[in-house]
Amino acid sequence: MNKNSSNIMALAPNTSNKRETVCIFGTGDFGRALGHKMIQSGYRVVFGSRNPQTSSLIPKDAEVLSHAEAAQKAAIIIIAIQRQHYNFLIPLAEILHGKVLVDVSNNLKINEYPESNAEYLAQLVPGAKVVKAFNTVSAWALQSGTLDASRQVFVCGDDMKAKQMVMDIVRALGLTPSDQGSLLAAQEIENYPLQLFPMWKFPILFSLGLTAFFFFYCLIRDVIYPYVYENTDFSFFIAISIPNRICPVLALILLALVYLPGVLAAIIQLYRGTKYHRFPDWLDKWMLCRKQLGLVALAFASLHVLYTLVIPIRYFVRWKMSSQIISQALNNKTAPLNNTYAWLSDSYVALGILGYFLFVLLGITSLPSVSNNVNWREFRFVQSKLGYVTLILCTAHTLVYGGNRFLSPSSYRWYLPNAYMLSLIVPCIVLVVKFVLIFPCLDKPLTRIRQGWERNPQYSE
Amino acid sequence: MNKNSSNIMALAPNTSNKRETVCIFGTGDFGRALGHKMIQSGYRVVFGSRNPQTSSLIPKDAEVLSHAEAAQKAAIIIIAIQRQHYNFLIPLAEILHGKVLVDVSNNLKINEYPESNAEYLAQLVPGAKVVKAFNTVSAWALQSGTLDASRQVFVCGDDMKAKQMVMDIVRALGLTPSDQGSLLAAQEIENYPLQLFPMWKFPILFSLGLTAFFFFYCLIRDVIYPYVYENTDFSFFIAISIPNRICPVLALILLALVYLPGVLAAIIQLYRGTKYHRFPDWLDKWMLCRKQLGLVALAFASLHVLYTLVIPIRYFVRWKMSSQIISQALNNKTAPLNNTYAWLSDSYVALGILGYFLFVLLGITSLPSVSNNVNWREFRFVQSKLGYVTLILCTAHTLVYGGNRFLSPSSYRWYLPNAYMLSLIVPCIVLVVKFVLIFPCLDKPLTRIRQGWERNPQYSE
Amino acid sequence: MNKNSSNIMALAPNTSNKRETVCIFGTGDFGRALGHKMIQSGYRVVFGSRNPQTSSLIPKDAEVLSHAEAAQKAAIIIIAIQRQHYNFLIPLAEILHGKVLVDVSNNLKINEYPESNAEYLAQLVPGAKVVKAFNTVSAWALQSGTLDASRQVFVCGDDMKAKQMVMDIVRALGLTPSDQGSLLAAQEIENYPLQLFPMWKFPILFSLGLTAFFFFYCLIRDVIYPYVYENTDFSFFIAISIPNRICPVLALILLALVYLPGVLAAIIQLYRGTKYHRFPDWLDKWMLCRKQLGLVALAFASLHVLYTLVIPIRYFVRWKMSSQIISQALNNKTAPLNNTYAWLSDSYVALGILGYFLFVLLGITSLPSVSNNVNWREFRFVQSKLGYVTLILCTAHTLVYGGNRFLSPSSYRWYLPNAYMLSLIVPCIVLVVKFVLIFPCLDKPLTRIRQGWERNPQYSE
């Protein structure tokens, strides 16, 4: 029943005796785990080892022979050995001639060696057909069956047929092979499992820095200032009120920073009169992490929405409201409906809702499976057109929220303006410059430059 | 570091001298961009041009030769030239014999020519192996490295080996090849980048039309009517109150319209007694855009949720509540808890929450990566069973919201019923007809018809 | 226009006369539907039938011949016949020699026969190249064109070239072929369309059971108890208040149950001193459905969020609040701000928001398209590190919500503690044990065991 209750294409145990023999060099943890899984999937497995004696660790249905003997029993040999021991294969070159060698190794650091382990193996045993595979799967995952992340196995190799054979094994083990082309791709495949969200590092560190800055900024304005001047303890603002000031500020700034590099690139291209000169390195890197910046901004916006929606549930808010009502009732007076307030309040909330709604749409379109299903024109339409509309709505949301408080002196405590005022600087700059760039006198030459036209051809590399 | 910090499988620059030579005919923008990217990925690039002189625009590591000379240097020739100039290739037919010609061209309009550019190319140079590829990638994206949307490259061709060679180049450039089969697929591949959400046009235009209608409808009832009769200015209702009437109405109507065509199709099939007669064209088109209709409905439902949850934050609502409380306090009276109201209020909210929750589940299942992982039986279960439960819950939500106001004359202003009453028409029809169709006397023949049985065989085409 | 308005890669009708001939054995519903679709896509179709007479049901452009005549007209023969009639093919073996036979059959039960239908077919006609395909597509879907779920066609077969031919047909019909390797995969492919969310059964049934238990538990405490002792009718609590007690309780318990098996596995491994002994079966199954358990927990958490956010909109809550304010106003007293309450209220809400936010992040990462784009290291970081932070935040949210009510006797009605107290048992156990396991004296041996080290080698199988 285990088989049926799994949602993967695992193979039935009753196909055991139909599969070919596979040889595994090396009886370390990964070799044994792979061997175990292969036996489960119906392969005959022969281990090649320096000390060919069946230890209790080896799966009991497997044979253990010397390297040379084991290699002769199979057409496919999995090299589950560390790179530094590869040279023991040189004397076996004759036996390995024409065999498919599967390199499953990983390194400890990115780009540790000048050439990939698989290419090194191909140099050592020139007569063999080397295929890189399985390095993205962990031994623990293979044995425990919890293969949620690592179902994808990157395969590359120069020999089409050898690659096909390895991909069939991958499928038989219930994994998904992904053909990455020739052995030249091996270096990237070996670097892949060592990465830890490389594209996210900068956006997350940057936003953490900004968060820290605005946290202390708001702490001074909203907690320390009233404590010093009014001797009231609003320290509990740290839990919700201050986060709910920081989140919208960061969401707006980060969203504007997604569109700033595009605007800068346009200015640089207009100034240079060509698109064939490379952008400065920082701009290139910035442009490459725009998606991540945008998603971090969306995370802050979502937190802002949650923090805002819980406002009426908070004890402090309910307390404040009931004391106001009671004092009004005791003073026997009722305030009439202020139409301007009603307009301001409703329109800033409505702008925020629409902005957030479009922001979520942008986020959904950046999901890999969705963005793979739209073409370039559609992607540009969503990320550029809809993106600018989102930025305009969110900026307007903040401006209307400010209302007529921008000029009121009570908004400045110790000469510090409200945090939301600071957050408006970058988006306003982006929107103004973008607005200028839309004018035909600038848009036309820019379009021509992006189609390959050059003002001063000597600029190009 | 650029390489490691990127999340794509790009190839290292140090593999430069290992790749084969590729020839590019045409030194236009796309040809140069592709050449540039190929040189970065380690290929030798030779341009073929009418004026074989290295201009400053050409990547500096590339050679520029005449077409004939360039073609002889490579096994793969990329034709980066517009279709109308293809006939210059006819005199080169002998040199191009056996070569792989990669057609990268696009047209300006969908189905501009009777045959695809790639098929036209294959007719012109019958001895060559034509492969269609790269047309979905933009030159700008290739150069700027921002390949978020266009990572997928559709490849088709009649020669398997030629296709493999091109797919290897695609992978080497850090893109994802997608094999689309033989050259017959070229027309679709050429049409693909010209589309702009073709399936979304009708649902979006239709819902915009409905939105406009209900906006003016509510404007008359909720703003103009009180202004005329009570001389009160509720113009600020435009920001939140009226959108929050329109959104649920549209969500419900559109959701019902997702299930209406299925019901109509069943009636037509029962009437005709066969499934082998084609449906009318409008029904076919309607059925094809049900997913999009449903997602637009979900968008309106989400807006409705947001607009509803901000209600207690709005100034107008807080003002109204406090004036009510104050007037009660001043009149020294407290209303007792009305159990019926409590039941109505809580159950309409609860129905809405459950309906929205299932609606979001339906939306998640329609994400491409999720729906690719369910089989037909599971998809039908979710989209049909769960979908009808959602429709029932949302209709019940609206009915309970109405409560006993349906018959109250105050709900009719200028003889116009409340908008939510109008929204109930379509879903109620769908649910009633579906309920009738579930009866065995109708369900049994319908099931048999859908399995291929026919009442009057003469009907079939 | 039908073609352009579709977002699939369907082929144009004007390519009709370019395709090869395909033979279909069997004129049943699926055979006719497939034939119809193939004719639309430009293939010539010949039906093979016991009674070779064109019936009105057969698509009118197709020929109907005897089996032997039809087979001779095409290189590909689709066997659209039920398995029990396959033996009529034995006398045709000579004609079928070298042909590609496509097995499209499905069974009625999972693992109905010892070998798959396709393998059985290959045994019956050893000279033919058998390919399994099309079994995941329904006839109804083929004809109506509503192929949302079933676009993916699993293909397997031992002959590479035959498989390629079939995959080209799949693509030509606008479907996506997915190569599943050799014919050994046929059994899994045949089982696939019969499944109905096999991995979800246990988590959903389990949580329904728990829901029922907590529903009656809360019913007794919150509705029956006040009815008996205070004679007040709170039956309307069934709509929102009680669901909003059940949902957080279930979300927390299920989330803790996601991490419990990992902790149990660590204890078992530490006790045994090896990882090479299999876990008990129930633990294996439990570990395989952790993702589903987590997603059900997320569903309950989302419902909890919605139920909580609508609190201020409920009639009962507004009534209670205004009666409190009015009674305060009439008694001419105002409560001062209680700083401890403000801290408790704000921090429990803030913890809940942050916990839910991380929970949603975990949910997004488990979307197939997202988890396919992260490597094993990244997936472990998110699901393990972030997962535990989520569990800690949610547990803290519940603890702070309890505040100082844990010891108050009013929390115990009929000796029954509040439901949230029960919900804390499992998460607290998981967190305490996990905390103990982090200590170096336990973490070090565990890490070594997971890398393959063994304390008592005799334990291994």
Side-chain angles (χ1 to χ4, degrees):
Chain A
M1 273 315 289
N2 196 19
K3 186 187 129 217
N4 302 335
S5 66
S6 118
N7 62 355
I8 59 163
M9 283 270 158
L11 271 140
N14 60 351
T15 60
S16 301
N17 40 13
K18 301 183 192 165
R19 301 226 184 255
E20 78 241 60
T21 302
V22 175
C23 168
I24 298 175
F25 275 14
T27 54
D29 190 35
F30 190 75
R32 293 196 307 255
L34 202 57
H36 205 269
K37 186 84 184 169
M38 285 179 146
I39 290 169
Q40 280 187 336
S41 307
Y43 287 94
R44 276 198 60 218
V45 172
V46 186
F47 280 95
S49 168
R50 265 166 306 173
N51 313 306
Q53 42 198 340
T54 312
S55 103
S56 62
L57 291 168
I58 304 278
K60 64 171 175 233
D61 293 326
E63 241 178 309
V64 186
L65 302 170
S66 74
H67 287 126
E69 287 171 315
Q72 276 162 335
K73 296 233 174 177
I76 297 178
I77 299 160
I78 291 165
I79 312 292
I81 292 168
Q82 284 178 309
R83 180 195 171 111
Q84 47 268 42
H85 305 310
Y86 276 8
N87 40 18
F88 87 92
L89 293 166
I90 300 175
L92 299 168
E94 211 165 299
I95 298 165
L96 299 178
H97 190 88
K99 303 273 183 185
V100 178
L101 301 191
V102 185
D103 185 303
V104 302
S105 64
N106 269 325
N107 295 323
L108 296 172
K109 276 183 293 182
I110 284 177
N111 287 336
E112 195 172 0
Y113 297 99
E115 81 281 70
S116 69
N117 300 353
E119 287 167 299
Y120 174 64
L121 180 62
Q123 284 164 26
L124 287 181
V125 196
K129 301 159 190 164
V130 174
V131 174
K132 178 89 208 177
F134 289 113
N135 72 311
T136 52
V137 187
S138 81
W140 165 247
L142 270 176
Q143 263 170 336
S144 65
T146 54
L147 285 156
D148 281 325
S150 55
R151 192 141 294 163
Q152 197 159 41
V153 172
F154 296 117
V155 181
C156 76
D158 291 332
D159 188 278
M160 272 285 284
K161 214 162 179 181
K163 205 156 62 173
Q164 273 300 332
M165 288 165 75
V166 175
M167 284 167 77
D168 278 343
I169 294 180
V170 172
R171 277 193 208 93
L173 303 190
L175 301 161
T176 314
S178 167
D179 187 348
Q180 296 293 315
S182 73
L183 209 57
L184 285 166
Q187 186 129 34
E188 275 307 310
I189 295 179
E190 289 173 11
N191 284 337
Y192 181 72
L194 300 169
Q195 297 174 344
L196 186 63
F197 296 114
M199 302 298 286
W200 288 89
K201 241 165 234 166
F202 172 71
I204 285 178
L205 288 179
F206 179 75
S207 54
L208 283 183
L210 265 187
T211 305
F213 168 75
F214 277 108
F215 178 75
F216 289 111
Y217 190 92
C218 294
L219 197 70
I220 291 171
R221 270 186 50 95
D222 296 329
V223 176
I224 297 176
Y225 183 93
Y227 189 76
V228 169
Y229 283 90
E230 303 159 23
N231 203 19
T232 44
D233 177 11
F234 284 151
S235 60
F236 62 87
F237 275 10
I238 291 173
I240 294 192
S241 303
I242 290 183
N244 200 21
R245 282 187 194 280
I246 299 172
C247 287
V249 164
L250 261 100
L252 189 58
I253 293 180
L254 292 175
L255 181 61
L257 290 180
V258 171
Y259 292 95
L260 187 53
V263 162
L264 289 179
I267 294 173
I268 290 176
Q269 287 179 336
L270 271 175
Y271 173 75
R272 286 179 179 163
T274 177
K275 74 167 183 183
Y276 293 105
H277 202 81
R278 284 199 60 172
F279 292 130
D281 233 38
W282 54 268
L283 188 55
D284 261 351
K285 279 188 196 162
W286 191 351
M287 291 182 98
L288 282 172
C289 70
R290 285 184 293 182
K291 179 180 159 185
Q292 283 75 17
L293 271 175
L295 289 175
V296 174
L298 179 57
F300 279 106
S302 305
L303 280 175
H304 170 49
V305 168
L306 282 176
Y307 279 125
T308 303
L309 292 179
V310 298
I311 284 178
I313 300 172
R314 291 171 61 195
Y315 162 77
F316 171 68
V317 174
R318 281 182 288 136
W319 171 83
K320 210 168 115 187
M321 193 183 163
S322 57
S323 4
Q324 278 174 0
I325 294 176
I326 291 168
S327 80
Q328 278 185 33
L330 294 180
N331 294 325
N332 207 349
K333 71 171 181 200
T334 43
L337 177 65
N338 183 328
N339 237 297
T340 317
Y341 275 7
W343 258 111
L344 275 178
S345 150
D346 275 17
S347 55
Y348 111 74
V349 170
L351 285 167
I353 288 175
L354 292 175
Y356 181 66
F357 174 75
L358 288 186
F359 209 161
V360 170
L361 266 196
L362 290 178
I364 291 173
T365 355
S366 73
L367 279 175
S369 71
V370 177
S371 64
N372 276 340
N373 278 301
V374 299
N375 65 35
W376 185 243
R377 203 181 152 205
E378 294 164 341
F379 187 78
R380 284 260 307 226
F381 176 79
V382 171
Q383 295 293 333
S384 173
K385 298 272 160 66
L386 275 191
Y388 269 107
V389 175
T390 309
L391 185 58
I392 292 169
L393 285 171
C394 293
T395 312
H397 167 66
T398 315
L399 282 168
V400 176
Y401 168 74
N404 45 15
R405 269 181 284 175
F406 283 101
L407 299 172
S408 137
S410 71
S411 301
Y412 299 86
R413 295 176 176 171
W414 286 331
Y415 304 105
L416 298 176
N418 231 318
Y420 74 85
M421 298 187 194
L422 299 182
S423 78
L424 282 165
I425 299 169
V426 189
C428 286
I429 291 174
V430 171
L431 288 177
V432 167
V433 177
K434 181 71 187 177
F435 181 70
V436 171
L437 286 172
I438 287 171
F439 280 104
C441 61
L442 289 172
D443 188 47
K444 262 189 204 162
L446 189 60
T447 308
R448 279 165 67 204
I449 285 168
R450 288 193 173 161
Q451 284 165 352
W453 175 83
E454 291 200 301
R455 195 167 56 225
N456 310 311
Q458 75 275 13
Y459 236 124
S460 59
E461 325 171 54
Chain B
M1 275 316 290
N2 196 19
K3 185 187 129 218
N4 302 336
S5 65
S6 119
N7 61 355
I8 59 161
M9 283 268 158
L11 272 139
N14 60 351
T15 60
S16 302
N17 39 14
K18 302 184 192 165
R19 301 226 183 254
E20 76 241 59
T21 302
V22 174
C23 168
I24 299 174
F25 275 14
T27 54
D29 189 35
F30 190 76
R32 292 196 309 255
L34 202 56
H36 206 268
K37 186 84 185 169
M38 285 180 146
I39 289 170
Q40 280 187 335
S41 306
Y43 286 93
R44 276 197 62 218
V45 172
V46 186
F47 281 95
S49 169
R50 267 164 306 172
N51 313 305
Q53 41 197 337
T54 313
S55 103
S56 62
L57 291 170
I58 305 278
K60 64 170 175 234
D61 292 326
E63 241 178 310
V64 186
L65 302 170
S66 74
H67 287 124
E69 287 171 314
Q72 277 161 335
K73 295 233 174 177
I76 297 177
I77 299 161
I78 291 165
I79 312 293
I81 290 168
Q82 285 178 308
R83 178 193 172 112
Q84 47 269 43
H85 306 310
Y86 277 7
N87 42 17
F88 88 92
L89 292 166
I90 300 174
L92 298 169
E94 212 166 300
I95 298 166
L96 298 179
H97 190 88
K99 304 273 184 186
V100 178
L101 301 190
V102 186
D103 185 304
V104 302
S105 65
N106 270 325
N107 295 322
L108 295 171
K109 276 182 293 182
I110 285 177
N111 288 335
E112 196 172 359
Y113 299 99
E115 82 281 70
S116 68
N117 300 353
E119 287 166 300
Y120 174 63
L121 180 62
Q123 285 164 25
L124 287 181
V125 195
K129 301 158 190 164
V130 173
V131 174
K132 179 87 208 176
F134 289 113
N135 71 313
T136 51
V137 187
S138 81
W140 165 247
L142 270 177
Q143 264 170 337
S144 65
T146 54
L147 285 156
D148 280 326
S150 56
R151 191 141 297 163
Q152 197 159 43
V153 173
F154 296 117
V155 181
C156 76
D158 290 332
D159 187 278
M160 270 287 284
K161 212 162 181 184
K163 206 156 60 172
Q164 273 301 331
M165 287 165 75
V166 175
M167 285 168 76
D168 277 344
I169 295 180
V170 172
R171 278 192 208 97
L173 304 189
L175 300 161
T176 314
S178 166
D179 187 348
Q180 296 293 315
S182 74
L183 210 57
L184 285 166
Q187 186 129 34
E188 276 305 311
I189 294 179
E190 288 172 11
N191 283 337
Y192 181 72
L194 299 169
Q195 298 174 344
L196 186 62
F197 297 113
M199 302 298 287
W200 289 90
K201 240 165 234 166
F202 171 71
I204 285 177
L205 288 178
F206 178 75
S207 53
L208 283 183
L210 266 187
T211 305
F213 168 74
F214 278 107
F215 178 77
F216 289 112
Y217 190 91
C218 294
L219 197 71
I220 292 171
R221 270 186 50 95
D222 297 329
V223 176
I224 297 176
Y225 183 92
Y227 189 78
V228 169
Y229 285 90
E230 303 158 25
N231 203 20
T232 44
D233 177 11
F234 284 151
S235 60
F236 63 87
F237 276 10
I238 292 172
I240 294 191
S241 302
I242 290 183
N244 201 21
R245 282 186 195 280
I246 299 171
C247 287
V249 163
L250 261 101
L252 189 58
I253 293 179
L254 291 175
L255 181 61
L257 290 179
V258 171
Y259 292 96
L260 187 53
V263 163
L264 289 179
I267 294 173
I268 291 176
Q269 286 180 336
L270 272 175
Y271 173 75
R272 287 179 178 163
T274 176
K275 74 168 185 184
Y276 293 105
H277 202 81
R278 283 200 62 171
F279 292 130
D281 233 37
W282 55 267
L283 189 56
D284 260 351
K285 279 189 199 161
W286 190 353
M287 290 183 99
L288 281 172
C289 70
R290 284 183 293 180
K291 179 180 157 183
Q292 283 75 18
L293 272 175
L295 289 175
V296 174
L298 178 56
F300 279 107
S302 304
L303 280 175
H304 170 48
V305 168
L306 282 176
Y307 279 124
T308 304
L309 292 178
V310 299
I311 285 178
I313 301 172
R314 293 172 59 196
Y315 162 77
F316 170 68
V317 175
R318 281 182 287 136
W319 170 83
K320 210 167 115 187
M321 194 184 163
S322 56
S323 2
Q324 279 173 0
I325 294 176
I326 291 168
S327 79
Q328 279 185 33
L330 294 181
N331 294 325
N332 208 348
K333 71 170 180 201
T334 43
L337 177 65
N338 183 328
N339 237 298
T340 317
Y341 275 5
W343 258 110
L344 276 178
S345 150
D346 275 17
S347 55
Y348 112 74
V349 170
L351 284 167
I353 287 176
L354 292 176
Y356 181 67
F357 175 74
L358 287 186
F359 209 161
V360 170
L361 267 196
L362 290 178
I364 291 173
T365 354
S366 73
L367 279 175
S369 71
V370 177
S371 63
N372 277 340
N373 278 301
V374 299
N375 64 35
W376 184 243
R377 202 181 152 206
E378 294 165 342
F379 187 78
R380 284 261 307 228
F381 175 81
V382 171
Q383 296 293 333
S384 173
K385 300 273 161 67
L386 275 190
Y388 268 107
V389 175
T390 309
L391 184 58
I392 291 170
L393 285 172
C394 293
T395 311
H397 166 67
T398 316
L399 283 168
V400 176
Y401 168 76
N404 45 15
R405 270 180 285 175
F406 283 101
L407 299 172
S408 138
S410 72
S411 301
Y412 299 85
R413 296 177 174 170
W414 286 331
Y415 305 105
L416 297 177
N418 231 318
Y420 74 86
M421 298 186 194
L422 299 182
S423 77
L424 282 166
I425 300 169
V426 189
C428 286
I429 292 173
V430 171
L431 288 177
V432 166
V433 176
K434 180 72 190 177
F435 180 70
V436 170
L437 285 172
I438 286 171
F439 279 104
C441 60
L442 289 173
D443 188 46
K444 261 189 204 161
L446 189 59
T447 308
R448 278 166 67 204
I449 286 168
R450 288 193 172 159
Q451 283 164 352
W453 174 83
E454 291 200 300
R455 196 168 53 226
N456 309 311
Q458 74 276 14
Y459 236 125
S460 59
E461 324 171 53
Chain C
M1 274 315 290
N2 196 19
K3 186 188 129 218
N4 301 335
S5 66
S6 118
N7 61 355
I8 58 160
M9 283 271 158
L11 272 140
N14 60 351
T15 59
S16 302
N17 41 13
K18 301 184 192 165
R19 301 226 183 252
E20 77 241 59
T21 302
V22 174
C23 169
I24 297 174
F25 275 14
T27 55
D29 189 34
F30 191 76
R32 293 195 309 256
L34 202 57
H36 205 269
K37 185 85 185 170
M38 285 180 147
I39 290 169
Q40 280 186 336
S41 308
Y43 287 93
R44 277 197 61 218
V45 172
V46 186
F47 280 94
S49 170
R50 266 163 307 173
N51 313 306
Q53 41 197 342
T54 313
S55 103
S56 62
L57 291 168
I58 304 278
K60 64 170 173 234
D61 293 327
E63 241 178 310
V64 185
L65 302 170
S66 74
H67 287 126
E69 287 172 314
Q72 277 162 336
K73 296 234 175 177
I76 297 178
I77 299 160
I78 290 164
I79 312 293
I81 291 169
Q82 286 177 308
R83 178 196 173 110
Q84 47 268 43
H85 305 309
Y86 276 8
N87 42 16
F88 88 91
L89 293 166
I90 300 175
L92 298 169
E94 211 166 300
I95 298 166
L96 298 178
H97 190 88
K99 303 272 183 188
V100 178
L101 300 191
V102 186
D103 185 304
V104 302
S105 64
N106 270 325
N107 296 323
L108 295 172
K109 274 183 293 179
I110 285 178
N111 288 335
E112 195 172 359
Y113 298 98
E115 81 281 71
S116 68
N117 300 353
E119 286 167 299
Y120 175 63
L121 180 62
Q123 285 164 26
L124 287 180
V125 196
K129 300 160 192 163
V130 173
V131 174
K132 179 87 209 179
F134 290 112
N135 72 312
T136 52
V137 187
S138 82
W140 164 247
L142 270 176
Q143 262 169 339
S144 65
T146 54
L147 284 156
D148 279 325
S150 57
R151 192 142 295 164
Q152 198 159 41
V153 173
F154 296 116
V155 181
C156 75
D158 290 332
D159 188 278
M160 272 286 285
K161 213 163 179 182
K163 205 155 64 172
Q164 272 301 330
M165 288 165 75
V166 175
M167 285 167 76
D168 278 344
I169 294 179
V170 172
R171 279 193 206 94
L173 303 189
L175 301 161
T176 313
S178 166
D179 187 348
Q180 296 293 315
S182 73
L183 209 58
L184 285 166
Q187 186 129 34
E188 276 305 310
I189 294 179
E190 288 172 11
N191 284 337
Y192 182 73
L194 299 170
Q195 298 173 343
L196 187 62
F197 297 113
M199 301 299 286
W200 289 89
K201 240 165 236 165
F202 171 72
I204 285 178
L205 288 179
F206 178 75
S207 53
L208 284 182
L210 266 187
T211 305
F213 168 74
F214 278 107
F215 178 76
F216 289 111
Y217 190 91
C218 294
L219 198 70
I220 291 170
R221 270 186 50 95
D222 296 330
V223 176
I224 297 177
Y225 183 93
Y227 189 77
V228 170
Y229 284 90
E230 303 158 23
N231 203 20
T232 45
D233 177 11
F234 285 151
S235 60
F236 62 87
F237 275 10
I238 291 171
I240 294 191
S241 302
I242 289 182
N244 200 20
R245 282 186 195 279
I246 298 171
C247 287
V249 163
L250 261 100
L252 189 58
I253 292 179
L254 292 175
L255 181 61
L257 289 180
V258 170
Y259 291 96
L260 187 53
V263 162
L264 289 180
I267 293 173
I268 290 176
Q269 287 180 334
L270 271 176
Y271 173 75
R272 286 179 179 163
T274 176
K275 73 168 185 183
Y276 293 104
H277 202 82
R278 283 200 62 171
F279 292 130
D281 233 37
W282 55 268
L283 188 56
D284 261 350
K285 278 188 196 162
W286 190 352
M287 290 182 99
L288 282 172
C289 71
R290 285 183 293 181
K291 179 179 158 183
Q292 283 74 17
L293 271 175
L295 289 174
V296 174
L298 178 57
F300 279 106
S302 305
L303 280 175
H304 170 48
V305 168
L306 281 175
Y307 278 124
T308 303
L309 292 178
V310 298
I311 285 178
I313 300 172
R314 293 171 60 195
Y315 162 77
F316 170 67
V317 175
R318 280 182 288 135
W319 171 84
K320 209 167 115 187
M321 193 183 163
S322 56
S323 8
Q324 277 173 0
I325 295 177
I326 291 168
S327 80
Q328 278 183 34
L330 293 180
N331 294 326
N332 207 349
K333 71 171 181 198
T334 42
L337 177 65
N338 183 328
N339 237 296
T340 317
Y341 275 6
W343 258 110
L344 275 179
S345 150
D346 275 17
S347 55
Y348 113 74
V349 170
L351 285 167
I353 288 175
L354 292 176
Y356 181 66
F357 174 75
L358 287 186
F359 209 160
V360 170
L361 266 195
L362 290 179
I364 292 173
T365 354
S366 73
L367 281 174
S369 71
V370 178
S371 64
N372 276 340
N373 278 300
V374 298
N375 63 35
W376 185 243
R377 204 181 151 206
E378 294 165 342
F379 187 77
R380 283 260 308 226
F381 175 79
V382 171
Q383 295 292 335
S384 172
K385 299 273 160 67
L386 275 190
Y388 268 107
V389 175
T390 309
L391 184 58
I392 291 170
L393 285 171
C394 293
T395 311
H397 167 66
T398 315
L399 282 168
V400 176
Y401 168 75
N404 43 16
R405 269 181 285 175
F406 283 101
L407 299 172
S408 136
S410 70
S411 301
Y412 298 85
R413 297 177 175 170
W414 285 332
Y415 304 105
L416 297 176
N418 232 318
Y420 74 86
M421 297 186 194
L422 298 182
S423 78
L424 281 165
I425 298 169
V426 190
C428 286
I429 291 173
V430 171
L431 288 178
V432 166
V433 177
K434 180 72 188 177
F435 181 69
V436 171
L437 285 173
I438 287 172
F439 280 104
C441 59
L442 289 172
D443 187 47
K444 261 189 204 162
L446 189 61
T447 308
R448 279 165 67 203
I449 285 167
R450 289 193 173 160
Q451 283 165 353
W453 174 82
E454 291 201 299
R455 196 168 52 226
N456 309 312
Q458 76 275 15
Y459 236 124
S460 59
E461 320 171 57

